[in-house]
Amino acid sequence: MAQGLATAYKELQQAFNSKTPDINKCGQLLGKLKIGLIESGLLFPQGNQNLDDLAVTRDILEMGALWSVRSKDIPSFDRYFAQLQTFYVDYNSVLPSSPREYSIQGLNLIRLLTQNRIADFHTTLESLPAEALHDNQFIKHPVNLERWLMEGSYSKVWAAREGAPAEEYKFFVDSLMGTIRNEIASCEEAAYESLPVRDAAALLFFQSHVELDQFARQRGWQINPSTETIVFAKKGEEKIELPKQKLITAALHYARELEQIV
């Protein structure tokens, strides 16, 4: 590996692993390193490559994937994860195992859940070793989330945020909770005309009135401070005009055709 790449890699490690990581500096170093990896033919390796260089490249991409989540840049995470598949699949038999691999695989699984891509979620699970589904904390976490979502056990999904195996997981769980809240809100609008503020906050897993107020404004709900109730916005029922005359004419024509057949 070129001296410039090796130096930038060490700088990235220091910036990424520090107690207070510098997100901006990490982003700048990652951009510089990716250009260097492309020029060295390591980002998309082919044929025989130096295994140490491949391991370093994988480590850089893994830090890039985690940096993307910390930066809340999901398209960037998707790109890094796609680039890592070469190292996780094609070079799996020749490279030493990575301590970050299952952490990133788990993040991708939760990412699929947030997009409601359940089929892709299960396809990805099938590609992982069976023991990882039961023994690895990074894989068990999204597996449990998916099961609780299917059961409708949203309180368990919410509680799982605090039990996340890594800080990056909380970002995706928060995104998942956003989807769940919208589903619950739609049910509330259909079932109730109004609810006490306290009950609405509990059902939506909000811990402060500020969060509830912001969500209510987004949904067009009215909060009555005197009665401490939320009045839900009712959507007007759509009226569908049926073409009665055409239906009657078609039915009579069909009846005449049947008579002629008989």
Side-chain angles (χ1 to χ4, degrees), residues 29-88:
L29 289 169
L30 283 165
K32 178 180 177 181
L33 282 164
K34 287 190 75 172
I35 294 173
L37 293 175
I38 292 172
E39 293 173 346
S40 302
L42 290 170
L43 189 60
F44 306 103
Q46 295 179 352
N48 294 324
Q49 296 279 357
N50 182 285
L51 296 184
D52 290 337
D53 289 349
L54 290 177
V56 169
T57 302
R58 182 185 62 186
D59 193 38
I60 291 170
L61 295 177
E62 287 175 337
M63 284 189 281
L66 295 173
W67 167 83
S68 299
V69 177
R70 294 177 185 179
S71 303
K72 302 181 180 180
D73 187 344
I74 305 310
S76 175
F77 172 80
D78 290 340
R79 289 192 295 271
Y80 276 109
F81 184 79
Q83 290 161 355
L84 278 166
Q85 296 316 295
T86 299
F87 302 89
Y88 289 161

Side-chain angles (χ1 to χ4, degrees), residues 120-158:
D120 291 337
F121 177 90
H122 286 284
T123 300
T124 303
L125 277 183
E126 290 173 3
S127 69
L128 298 175
E131 59 271 15
L133 306 184
H134 306 288
D135 301 332
N136 191 283
Q137 60 173 338
F138 297 110
I139 305 302
K140 285 170 60 178
H141 190 265
V143 168
N144 288 335
L145 286 176
E146 192 267 344
R147 184 177 74 251
W148 294 331
L149 284 173
M150 295 302 103
E151 294 173 353
S153 302
Y154 298 142
S155 59
K156 292 182 179 179
V157 176
W158 173 245

Side-chain angles (χ1 to χ4, degrees), residues 192-213:
Y192 305 103
E193 291 184 359
S194 63
L195 271 179
V197 169
R198 181 179 299 178
D199 293 347
L203 287 170
L204 293 166
F205 303 101
F206 284 126
Q207 297 178 318
S208 72
H209 286 297
V210 174
E211 293 175 319
L212 180 61
D213 288 345

